[in-house]
Amino acid sequence: MSVRVIVRTFSELCITVGAVIVLFVVYVLFWTGVRADRAMDDQIAALHDQWARQTPRAAPSTSAGAGAAAAATPYRDGRPFAVMYIPRLGFTWNKPVLEDTATGTLEKGLGHYKGTARLGQTGNFSVAGHRRTYGDPFKDFPELRRGDAVVLTDGTTWFTYRIDEGPYKTVPSDVEVIDPVPRKSGYTRPGRYLTLTTCDPEWGHSHRLIVWAHLDSTQPVEAGEPRALRR
Amino acid sequence: MYGWIWRHLPGNAWVKALISIMLVVAVVYTLFQYVFPWAEPLLPFNDVTVDNQ
């Protein structure tokens, strides 16, 4: 085998590896977003379908009754159960919230930490989301400020949470931030709290950014969108 | 490597070019559909939780 053949084959291999790396960057930056946007739209559409089917049954009961009925259905792993709106992240920003924080779940929406409180219940309703890749749901996480609204709906009720504290930077092992009463948030008594977590720095994994909020108001979906979502 | 593939493809230059493009598309599809989804979680972008559940 001549030197020429060896050199040529080596060069071709290098070019191939380079091309694969470029393709991988395209995949991470662009294609995961395309896939995630499609998956999130599907999840939200599935939720709306499900809610549309439930409405006839929920309608005769009071909103409290509907809430109790919803509380009886446990969240199913990897399945959506709510839609989140954060006006600060964009007026059209809305993402499905799915149960559990498995890798596959977070590719389709935001993930609710298993074992933390249910939406609107006493305790800490904790949700994780991607900062980058898979649609960049929490790209502008550091923009969140005290007083910002985080609105969620489970199909029967609108829940408006108000941010009290954050973004707070911590380490990945700091599991106390999703405690029922997260100590570092400044909350001292049990209440209806919400915690959002994402990674920091943007493309890294050395830290986590945390935001805490408390439940400010609720209203049945029949009453229309909450004030925080109106223009 | 690519010269070897080119020499072993059947037909004239046009047929070879067509088959080459199909091969490239097949490789890119395999990468996007199977290889990259497997490799991506190995990177740190997926670590957004505080307890590594």
Side-chain angles (χ1 to χ4, degrees):
Chain A
M1 201 188 276
S2 69
V3 176
R4 178 188 283 269
V5 170
I6 293 170
V7 169
R8 189 172 59 204
T9 308
F10 180 71
S11 322
E12 286 177 349
L13 276 176
C14 288
I15 291 169
T16 309
V17 169
V20 169
I21 290 173
V22 169
L23 280 176
F24 185 62
V25 171
V26 169
Y27 172 83
V28 169
L29 292 188
F30 173 72
W31 193 246
T32 58
V34 173
R35 274 202 345 182
D37 285 345
R38 206 184 304 158
M40 288 181 194
D41 287 347
D42 286 352
Q43 298 294 326
I44 289 180
L47 269 181
H48 284 180
D49 277 2
Q50 189 188 325
W51 293 341
R53 271 183 276 116
Q54 280 171 353
T55 309
R57 272 188 293 132
S61 61
T62 62
S63 67
T73 4
Y75 298 149
R76 277 162 56 207
D77 288 0
R79 302 299 297 273
F81 61 87
V83 181
M84 183 185 285
Y85 301 78
I86 305 182
R88 171 73 75 184
L89 300 183
F91 198 78
T92 55
W93 191 98
N94 62 89
K95 303 286 171 198
V97 184
L98 286 68
E99 176 68 352
D100 88 34
T101 49
T103 307
T105 307
L106 290 167
E107 292 174 0
K108 290 181 280 188
L110 309 173
H112 171 239
Y113 285 87
K114 282 176 82 163
T116 64
R118 294 171 60 89
L119 180 55
Q121 301 300 305
T122 303
N124 192 349
F125 178 75
S126 305
V127 173
H130 278 293
R131 177 94 174 268
R132 278 297 190 170
T133 71
Y134 292 101
D136 307 339
F138 281 155
K139 179 162 69 79
D140 298 324
F141 202 84
E143 305 291 315
L144 295 172
R145 290 293 172 265
R146 187 189 172 92
D148 284 355
V150 178
V151 182
L152 290 113
T153 179
D154 62 359
T156 53
T157 313
W158 286 101
F159 300 88
T160 306
Y161 288 86
R162 291 278 170 191
I163 293 176
D164 290 308
E165 190 60 47
Y168 170 79
K169 192 172 179 172
T170 188
V171 291
S173 57
D174 190 6
V175 296
E176 280 181 11
V177 298
I178 58 168
D179 278 354
V181 183
R183 205 160 43 85
K184 285 163 188 151
S185 63
Y187 300 134
T188 50
R189 283 178 297 160
R192 295 157 195 264
Y193 302 128
L194 168 132
T195 303
L196 304 177
T197 72
T198 193
C199 67
D200 192 72
E202 235 171 305
W203 293 97
H205 65 152
S206 59
H207 290 81
R208 298 289 181 270
L209 278 187
I210 314 294
V211 154
W212 286 291
H214 70 276
L215 187 62
D216 188 54
S217 61
T218 61
Q219 62 186 69
V221 283
E222 295 82 42
E225 291 192 335
R227 207 151 40 88
L229 290 188
R230 293 190 201 136
R231 242 183 245 271
Chain B
M1 180 172 70
Y2 293 118
W4 183 87
I5 294 173
W6 183 262
R7 279 194 302 278
H8 283 76
L9 289 175
N12 61 24
W14 287 106
V15 177
K16 285 178 189 230
L18 191 67
I19 297 173
S20 305
I21 290 170
M22 278 159 52
L23 282 176
V24 168
V25 169
V27 167
V28 171
Y29 177 83
T30 312
L31 286 174
F32 271 64
Q33 200 64 25
Y34 302 103
V35 181
F36 292 161
W38 163 82
E40 202 270 345
L42 305 177
L43 289 170
F45 314 135
N46 281 299
D47 301 338
V48 292
T49 62
V50 285
D51 49 0
N52 289 316
Q53 276 179 350

